[in-house]
């Protein structure tokens, strides 16, 4: 059974940093591209970042570019999101999501349960 | 303001048919990129509902269908059931400088 379990969320002050993790199991993690998607309280989904299976390709939304860094450790079946210079508008539930197939344009077929990040003083 | 435009809400009685539209532009849906749809039940993570414009993943009832034409796409739900009450999001890829994956703003479906 495919499982994605996020962790690392919490309360952080503006300007602070946080590192999210996503532990994957039930599939060959190293074969799939992965994403981070966030959802602010009461709002819609916002794509944050993508990383290819071998980390060769990495992309960010303009809203987080230069502040967030996506990475993965295929040996540990884990996906990460390092978030620096956090702002109030980064407050959201952060989901990790797997890309369905080998195409970059495939949908996100499995999602974690999400981890809440709250940026507040 | 989302790149893909969805109606904020739709409603229907049990057994009825509803549709949810998703309007994009020439840099995403109109450029030929596929549209995917997700269902988000209250308090849960999104779930893939329709992929590649009109394909259903295993386990998704055939009451759910998708279509795409030009710069728009639609999700249709027939035989509405109480458990269909959820938020629905469309997704596509955007080739503009500012974006990669884009989502619609979401549509709240209320079953009356």
């Amino acid at each position: 059974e495919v499982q994605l379990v996020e962790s690392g969320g919490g309360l952080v002050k503006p300007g602070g940093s946080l590192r999210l993790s996503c532990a994957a199991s039930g599939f060959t993690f190293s074969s799939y591209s992965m994403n981070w998607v966030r959802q602010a309280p009461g709002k819609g989904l916002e794509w944050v970042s993508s990383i290819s299976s071998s980390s060769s390709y990495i992309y960010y939304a303009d809203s987080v570019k230069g502040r967030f860094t996506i990475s993965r450790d295929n040996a540990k079946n884990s996906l990460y999101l390092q978030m620096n210079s956090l702002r109030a508008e980064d407050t959201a539930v952060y989901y990790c999501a797997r890309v369905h197939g080998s195409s970059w344009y495939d949908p996100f077929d499995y999602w974690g349960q999400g981890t809440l990040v709250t940026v507040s003083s | 303001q989302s790149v893909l435009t969805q109606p904020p809400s739709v409603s229907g009685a049990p057994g009825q048919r509803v549709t949810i539209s998703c309007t994009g532009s020439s840099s995403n849906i109109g450029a030929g990129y596929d549209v995917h749809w997700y269902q988000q039940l209250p308090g849960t993570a999104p779930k893939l509902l329709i992929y590649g414009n009109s394909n259903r993943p295993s386990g998704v009832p055939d009451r759910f269908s998708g279509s795409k034409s030009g710069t728009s796409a639609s999700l249709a739900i027939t035989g509405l059931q109480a458990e269909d009450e959820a938020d629905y999001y469309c997704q596509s890829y955007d080739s503009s400088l500012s974006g990669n994956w884009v989502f619609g703003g979401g549509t709240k479906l209320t079953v009356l």
Side-chain angles (χ1 to χ4, degrees):
Chain A
E1 178 194 5
V2 172
Q3 281 199 323
L4 298 170
V5 179
E6 301 93 337
S7 61
L11 176 63
V12 62
K13 289 182 169 52
S17 297
L18 214 53
R19 188 195 196 207
L20 304 184
S21 299
C22 171
S25 62
F27 66 102
T28 305
F29 180 71
S30 59
S31 297
Y32 291 83
S33 297
M34 298 292 296
N35 293 269
W36 288 100
V37 177
R38 68 184 180 183
Q39 185 171 35
K43 302 296 184 182
L45 302 173
E46 179 188 15
W47 169 78
V48 173
S49 183
S50 299
I51 186 168
S52 62
S53 57
S54 60
S55 305
S56 299
Y57 300 96
I58 288 176
Y59 299 97
Y60 299 97
D62 286 348
S63 57
V64 306
K65 202 172 293 182
R67 301 187 298 123
F68 289 12
T69 302
I70 191 173
S71 63
R72 64 190 296 162
D73 185 334
N74 287 342
K76 294 183 177 180
N77 292 335
S78 293
L79 175 72
Y80 305 103
L81 186 68
Q82 177 66 44
M83 304 186 296
N84 298 330
S85 303
L86 283 162
R87 307 166 179 166
E89 53 265 35
D90 295 319
T91 295
V93 173
Y94 285 74
Y95 297 101
C96 64
R98 188 186 84 165
V99 175
H100 171 66
S102 57
S103 168
W104 192 252
Y105 309 108
D106 280 337
F108 304 169
D109 61 349
Y110 285 94
W111 298 61
Q113 85 289 350
T115 186
L116 176 62
V117 172
T118 303
V119 184
S120 175
S121 55
Chain B
Q1 196 80 344
S2 301
V3 173
L4 303 178
T5 301
Q6 298 180 234
S9 64
V10 298
S11 62
Q16 285 190 333
R17 177 182 186 270
V18 297
T19 62
I20 299 172
S21 61
C22 174
T23 303
S25 68
S26 58
S27 64
N28 42 69
I29 299 175
Y33 295 110
D34 284 344
V35 177
H36 314 303
W37 291 90
Y38 299 87
Q39 177 192 58
Q40 187 175 33
L41 298 170
T44 69
K47 167 193 166 186
L48 180 63
L49 192 67
I50 297 288
Y51 68 95
N53 307 315
S54 59
N55 301 293
R56 286 185 308 276
S58 173
V60 173
D62 59 7
R63 301 187 295 104
F64 295 90
S65 63
S67 63
K68 172 189 161 182
S69 179
T71 59
S72 296
S74 289
L75 172 70
I77 309 172
T78 59
L80 263 182
Q81 298 180 3
E83 57 261 38
D84 298 334
E85 188 159 293
D87 293 322
Y88 293 84
Y89 295 90
C90 60
Q91 178 200 32
S92 188
Y93 190 84
D94 193 291
S95 59
S96 68
L97 291 175
S98 63
N100 282 274
W101 286 109
V102 289
F103 288 94
T107 299
K108 169 67 177 177
L109 168 62
T110 300
V111 181
L112 302 171

